[in-house]
Amino acid sequence: MHRLSQLLLPTERQPPADAEALSHQLMVRAGLVRQLGSGLWSWMPAGWRIHQKVVDIIREEMDAAGAQELSLPVLQPRELWEKTGRDQIHELFKLEDRKGSEMVLAMTHEEAVTTHVAQIVKSYRELPFTLYQVQTKERDEPRPRAGILRTREFVMKDAYSFDRDDAGLDASYEAQTAAYAKIYDRCGVRWYRVESDVGMMGGAGAHEYMAPCAAGEDDIVLAEGYAANVEVATTTPSPAVVVEPIGAPEPVETPDAKTIERLAELLGIDASATMKAVAVVGPEGLVLVLLRGDDTVQETKLANALGGTHRPATEEEIAAAIGPAGYLGPIEMADPGTTVLLDLAVGDTEHVVGANKAGVHLRGVQPGRDFQARRVDVRAAKAGDTVDGKPVEIVPAIEVGNIFKLGTKYTEALGATFLDEDGKRQPIIMGCYGIGPARIVASTAEQCGDERGIAWPKAIAPWQVHVAGLGKPGSPEAEAAAKLAATLDQAGFEVILDDRAGGAGEKLTDAELLGCPLRLVVGRRTLERGEAEAQRRRGSVELDPISLDDPVPAVRAHLAAAP
RNA sequence: CGGGGCGUGGCGCAGCCUGGUAGCGCGCCUGCUUUGGGAGCAGGAGGUCCUCGGUUCGAAUCCGGGCGCCCCGACCA
């Protein structure tokens, strides 16, 4: 049993001035975390209990999935990272030891774990296996934000699977997938598994686990039976409002119509009857991207279509290759050889598009007939789209985990190979699987927070039962509360007892801030009836009072019914 | 990296424009009263005003450099 009179629980009536996100405000107010520097957070005792409960759940499910826990150094020789090329990552903390040796602080542990596997594994007989660690990771984030949500130092569970072939990797990936579902469900956080961008690592597949919440940094696209990061989401746009065909391109004067809105207004047509032209410079030079007028570019999808990162073209570059900014189009470009990409959502019907002359657009322009272009999927999904006829919703979410089929990127770079049955040397096939416990805590706080505090799910609440005696220390109420707490403690419940001298309001408010699922209050009135008042924190539901003579069965029932 | 904001007691803030005794609410300590929604009275402690330099008789306040923190965007293997 823990006593509030002895617990370092620095609750605050007001949130810190610089806290914006709900989870940031509430977790500081509830005395769970304190900031030490930008992106550097300490966990106070109650907060650490929550964090460790999440870690315990992760550990149980990892073990159940057959993964083996180990520990690896956070401080590592830079040389390892040079082998994989990851020493160039800006977020990597780099430093020297006293001898001048180049070191790094690990942001993940692929290099370290793969190095050992390379040293140890010789034969296919030793495969497959999955290792994991729950350790501090360091990242020199350009912008830490939202309290505990994006920090420079954080604990991460990282698992690494090692298989002899792709089928083995698929099996390991599936085992982790199953474990992840159990972990998030057990923690009580709302989550989605979404398709994610494999990015420059070009792996065979990747999924992110996203917890929807207001402070989320990513947007996810949801429809019945569908969930994807907007960075990869492919949805069906609402039908375009087409105009009467006129058979061939024809100039139309459009002074001062440099935006789609102005253009559509001027011509009295829907934005979807126009084409939006965006000029970017990618790995292979300047490219003109055409989308439906009411769509916008999704930068990650475009980067994938271009095969590398890109930047907006300058006005000079645009003028040299295409035409005057604001009136760009695929016909009569200054350099007719300019690559033109056409988004899949643009129909093979006539559209209005820039004429590459200031103040002039062309109407009646039809893809395929009037110009040629490579079809790509680069539009951003948006509300109003559908997937298989089901309307989509786009919500902010925070990434609480990811799984990735790495393949042989690390094993080849670090020489992790094995001899197969034929005595042939093969690279080990690898997968990696990360979870950020602090983000599970923070996103749960976002999802379960209200104006009074955080209604923690019972699986990760710092304590299960919060017993508050309302009288001052030594009073009959306080004595009865202490006895109740001791009884429940002996029955195996996790109990926090408010035995402080404070007033009733203070105790009740702190109980709501801390947010344990079941609150039992012993006051003068309830004590006269031999009872403690019971309230479920989630939803502030009043429950049947607990008998002080035989409290255990009712407490067990109340807790069983709590989320 | 671009843009914006902030730094005054543990927390939240005022004071700065127009230089001259460092202030308010909450919290904290002592005593008495109070005890079902952050209580009352009385007394008290606690601040190099982020830092360094400049201007001035005098700087929290004006000027310059630096550091720190937050927010928006970019970035996020």
Side-chain angles (χ1 to χ4, degrees):
Chain A
M1 190 213 311
H2 288 80
R3 295 169 187 276
L4 226 29
S5 63
Q6 288 155 33
L7 182 70
L8 185 70
L9 186 74
T11 58
E12 294 288 345
R13 193 178 291 194
Q14 288 168 308
D18 56 21
E20 298 267 327
L22 180 65
S23 59
H24 184 182
Q25 296 185 5
L26 290 177
M27 289 181 69
V28 173
R29 278 220 293 142
L32 306 178
V33 292
R34 280 289 169 106
Q35 185 172 18
L36 198 61
S38 180
L40 300 172
W41 287 82
S42 304
W43 292 81
M44 295 295 112
W48 192 239
R49 286 178 66 90
I50 299 170
H51 185 277
Q52 291 308 85
K53 288 197 171 187
V54 172
V55 169
D56 287 346
I57 289 171
I58 292 170
R59 193 170 270 134
E60 284 174 25
E61 295 300 337
M62 283 295 113
D63 291 343
Q68 310 168 49
E69 185 170 7
L70 81 175
S71 179
L72 299 159
V74 174
L75 181 63
Q76 303 180 358
R78 178 164 175 168
E79 187 187 356
L80 284 182
W81 291 68
E82 287 166 358
K83 288 183 183 174
T84 59
R86 293 212 301 170
D87 60 315
Q88 296 303 316
I89 294 171
H90 289 110
E91 283 75 21
L92 184 65
F93 273 109
K94 300 157 183 106
L95 68 158
E96 284 184 6
D97 68 12
R98 66 169 73 202
K99 292 180 297 191
S101 301
E102 306 263 355
M103 311 296 287
V104 303
L105 296 175
M107 49 196 296
T108 63
H109 283 73
E110 277 86 356
E111 280 80 1
V113 75
T114 308
T115 295
H116 290 306
V117 169
Q119 294 163 344
I120 296 163
V121 172
K122 304 279 189 288
S123 157
Y124 72 93
R125 296 176 192 277
E126 295 167 85
L127 297 172
F129 57 84
T130 296
L131 303 172
Y132 77 97
Q133 30 120 231
V134 182
Q135 289 184 252
T136 303
K137 314 276 170 171
E138 309 282 346
R139 296 184 189 183
D140 194 359
E141 289 286 350
R143 182 151 100 80
R145 59 177 290 277
I148 224 80
L149 227 42
R150 178 172 288 275
T151 57
R152 295 196 291 177
E153 173 176 296
F154 57 97
V155 169
M156 179 186 261
K157 185 284 299 180
D158 234 350
Y160 307 99
S161 66
F162 298 87
D163 281 279
R164 54 182 302 191
D165 53 25
D166 287 339
L169 172 59
D170 289 345
S172 297
Y173 197 82
E174 283 311 308
Q176 288 289 317
T177 300
Y180 272 44
K182 289 180 190 157
I183 289 166
Y184 297 117
D185 282 346
R186 283 183 62 187
C187 287
V189 64
R190 282 194 292 123
W191 62 282
Y192 294 93
R193 177 180 191 258
V194 306
E195 301 165 25
S196 73
D197 178 35
V198 296
M200 296 305 109
M201 298 185 69
H207 290 86
E208 287 168 339
Y209 290 80
M210 309 293 289
C213 64
E217 304 183 308
D218 292 301
D219 285 317
I220 58 174
V221 180
L222 302 174
E224 200 183 317
Y226 181 82
N229 194 310
V230 283
E231 292 178 352
V232 297
T234 297
T235 56
T236 306
S238 56
V241 181
V242 297
V243 291
E244 275 299 303
I246 56 173
E250 176 187 294
V252 50
E253 294 287 329
T254 51
D256 245 1
K258 287 185 155 193
T259 66
I260 295 293
E261 291 71 31
R262 285 283 299 135
L263 178 66
E265 191 188 332
L266 189 70
L267 299 179
I269 58 176
D270 192 83
S272 64
T274 70
M275 279 190 279
K276 179 181 287 180
V278 180
V280 299
V281 176
E284 285 165 28
L286 189 139
V287 174
L288 182 68
V289 183
L290 294 172
L291 301 97
R292 218 170 80 173
D294 57 335
D295 277 337
T296 55
V297 173
Q298 213 301 319
E299 299 292 340
T300 303
K301 288 169 76 173
L302 178 56
N304 287 333
L306 293 173
T309 54
H310 59 276
R311 61 168 172 84
T314 64
E315 283 218 12
E316 293 72 34
E317 289 169 326
I318 294 172
I322 310 170
Y327 293 95
L328 302 183
I331 295 174
E332 291 189 24
M333 296 185 288
D335 174 2
T338 302
T339 304
V340 180
L341 300 182
L342 180 64
D343 185 73
L344 287 168
V346 181
D348 285 328
T349 55
E350 293 187 357
H351 291 78
V352 174
V353 69
N356 294 321
K357 279 183 210 145
V360 183
H361 278 78
L362 294 174
R363 55 181 187 169
V365 175
Q366 183 168 316
R369 184 189 72 192
D370 300 320
F371 69 97
Q372 302 302 319
R374 180 156 76 89
R375 285 284 189 170
V376 291
D377 176 15
V378 296
R379 72 181 285 273
K382 65 184 182 191
D385 292 355
T386 57
V387 173
D388 294 334
K390 307 286 171 46
V392 306
E393 175 188 17
I394 297 180
V395 301
I398 187 74
E399 182 181 355
V400 289
N402 59 51
I403 57 177
F404 204 106
K405 293 184 179 177
L406 284 174
T408 59
K409 176 185 165 77
Y410 293 92
T411 51
E412 283 182 2
L414 294 160
T417 60
F418 66 97
L419 294 179
D420 64 16
E421 292 99 318
D422 303 325
K424 227 175 110 188
R425 187 168 298 277
Q426 305 276 9
I428 300 176
I429 314 288
M430 214 174 148
C432 68
Y433 317 90
I435 293 183
R439 281 195 173 175
I440 292 181
V441 176
S443 56
T444 302
E446 291 273 328
Q447 292 175 357
C448 301
D450 57 32
E451 61 287 348
R452 289 198 296 272
I454 306 163
W456 294 106
K458 63 185 169 193
I460 64 173
W463 290 272
Q464 298 173 311
V465 187
H466 187 126
V467 177
L470 292 188
K472 59 184 168 189
S475 67
E477 303 94 288
E479 297 287 332
K483 184 162 169 270
L484 171 62
T487 302
L488 295 176
D489 178 65
Q490 278 156 24
F493 297 103
E494 292 181 351
V495 182
I496 179 80
L497 170 67
D498 192 345
D499 57 344
R500 297 174 301 178
E506 189 177 351
K507 293 176 181 176
L508 297 173
T509 306
D510 272 355
E512 279 156 352
L513 247 186
L514 191 56
C516 297
L518 182 62
R519 184 185 80 186
L520 302 179
V521 176
V522 180
R524 188 185 291 160
R525 293 202 305 260
T526 59
L527 183 58
E528 284 169 5
R529 296 194 296 268
E531 293 175 340
E533 171 192 286
Q535 190 186 83
R536 179 185 302 156
R537 177 60 181 84
R538 188 75 62 87
S540 301
V541 181
E542 291 300 329
L543 303 169
D544 291 338
I546 302 290
S547 157
L548 291 175
D549 292 332
D550 184 22
V552 172
V555 166
R556 185 165 288 135
H558 284 330
L559 269 179

